[in-house]
Amino acid sequence: MKKLLFIPLCLSLFLASCNNDDDEAVIPAVSELDADMRGDWTNTSVERTYYSDAGTVMYADTSERQANFHFDGQKMTVTLQGSSNKDVWNYSFPDPNDSTYIQLQQGGETNDYVVTSMSDTEMVWVDEIDWAGFPEEVPDQEKTTSRKGVYVWKFVRKN
């Protein structure tokens, strides 16, 4: 009789101890860079440089930033300091032969970057766009289409 009670008791304990951890599933890293990037970062600056057809600098500036980025292996969540609004992008490393190439997607928009440097504390992304146009901030008489725009995003890891 004791054996008959023991089996259902063990079965009920086994079923009660199981829980669903699918919400916290860990996404396997596709590269060492992907694994190193995961976690929280602060974007401290964005440098913009616009080049003419002759390769000379037409316009350059740097904007200081304090945007928070969280990378989880699939989604990049951006939060500006002092704001509760979150901007969520999917990210991937689509080229198996180049683990430094990262692609961001949100709805129908896609942006491509190259991770040019990565350490435990700092990360740098570069985006080069042919015929990038011109910065909106320049006076109308100085607006000229650039041959190339280079955008450098600098990040530091949050503690």
Side-chain angles (χ1 to χ4, degrees), residues 21-22 24-28 38 72:
D21 291 335
D22 290 354
E24 299 296 324
V26 176
I27 299 163
R38 294 185 187 195
D72 71 359

Side-chain angles (χ1 to χ4, degrees), residues 47-60 126-135 144-152:
E47 299 171 3
R48 302 182 305 171
T49 307
Y50 295 86
Y51 294 92
S52 69
D53 286 340
T56 60
V57 174
M58 296 170 50
Y59 180 86
V126 174
D127 183 20
E128 292 189 15
I129 300 175
D130 287 333
W131 307 110
F134 46 82
T144 305
T145 301
S146 63
R147 171 62 186 101
K148 179 171 48 171
V150 178
Y151 308 87
V152 179

Side-chain angles (χ1 to χ4, degrees), residues 3-157:
K3 288 182 183 179
L4 291 175
L5 291 175
F6 183 73
I7 293 172
L9 179 63
C10 286
L11 184 59
S12 65
L13 287 174
F14 174 76
L15 292 175
S17 67
C18 294
N19 61 8
N20 188 354
D21 291 335
D22 290 354
D23 295 338
E24 299 296 324
V26 176
I27 299 163
V30 297
S31 67
E32 185 177 334
L33 180 69
D34 178 25
D36 291 344
M37 182 185 299
R38 294 185 187 195
D40 296 310
W41 295 83
T42 299
N43 173 224
T44 57
S45 69
V46 178
E47 299 171 3
R48 302 182 305 171
T49 307
Y50 295 86
Y51 294 92
S52 69
D53 286 340
T56 60
V57 174
M58 296 170 50
Y59 180 86
D61 71 0
T62 300
S63 62
E64 302 299 319
R65 303 193 52 174
Q66 289 297 311
N68 298 313
F69 284 65
H70 175 76
F71 298 90
D72 71 359
Q74 183 177 7
K75 295 191 184 311
M76 176 186 78
T77 304
V78 183
T79 309
L80 299 177
Q81 280 193 335
S83 174
S84 60
N85 295 336
K86 296 179 187 262
D87 195 17
V88 179
W89 292 73
N90 291 321
Y91 72 92
S92 63
F93 298 88
D95 186 347
N97 298 318
D98 183 1
S99 65
T100 65
Y101 169 61
I102 184 170
Q103 189 173 68
L104 306 178
Q105 292 182 320
Q106 183 185 59
E109 187 174 347
T110 300
N111 295 315
D112 302 313
Y113 299 87
V114 174
V115 181
T116 59
S117 94
M118 179 77 178
S119 72
D120 291 339
T121 58
E122 296 179 347
M123 174 171 62
V124 177
W125 293 11
V126 174
D127 183 20
E128 292 189 15
I129 300 175
D130 287 333
W131 307 110
F134 46 82
E136 293 297 321
E137 299 85 14
V138 299
D140 285 342
Q141 66 272 16
E142 294 179 26
K143 290 186 177 178
T144 305
T145 301
S146 63
R147 171 62 186 101
K148 179 171 48 171
V150 178
Y151 308 87
V152 179
W153 296 69
K154 295 185 179 180
F155 299 84
V156 294
R157 187 178 293 278

